């Protein structure tokens, strides 16, 4: 098993090109691992897809969301 690379929600948001709220939602849905509580919470960046930045235009394309776990409830 790989050693997790733990980062703050802000750092994870920058890495993925998505808002901090999305990182919190992914953690609450079980898509990514959460370590700690409160301000000390860290997330495993190795579970996330990085953003891509076009070299010519600078356009940012967010990374793909992690898959939902098999145990997640499905929408009706």
């Amino acid at each position: 098993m790989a050693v997790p690379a733990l980062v703050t929600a802000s750092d994870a948001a920058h890495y993925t090109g998505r808002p901090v709220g999305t990182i919190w939602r992914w953690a609450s849905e079980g898509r990514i691992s959460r370590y700690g509580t409160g301000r000390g919470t860290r997330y495993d960046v190795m579970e996330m897809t990085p953003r891509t930045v076009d070299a010519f235009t600078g356009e940012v394309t967010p990374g793909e969301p992690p898959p939902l776990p098999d145990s997640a409830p499905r929408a009706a």
Side-chain angles (χ1 to χ4, degrees):
M1 184 171 164
V3 177
L6 303 181
V7 297
T8 64
S10 178
D11 293 336
H14 178 76
Y15 178 76
T16 60
R18 296 186 179 264
V20 172
T22 300
I23 304 303
W24 295 335
R25 181 174 49 83
W26 287 349
S28 70
E29 292 172 347
R31 293 175 185 251
I32 58 175
S33 300
R34 174 178 25 205
Y35 299 86
T37 58
R39 288 181 171 242
T41 304
R42 299 293 184 260
Y43 305 90
D44 186 1
V45 76
M46 301 308 289
E47 297 175 353
M48 301 173 223
T49 306
R51 68 188 176 144
T52 55
V53 180
D54 186 278
F56 297 107
T57 65
E59 181 180 351
V60 175
T61 304
E64 291 294 317
L68 280 168
D70 292 335
S71 62
R74 302 293 178 199

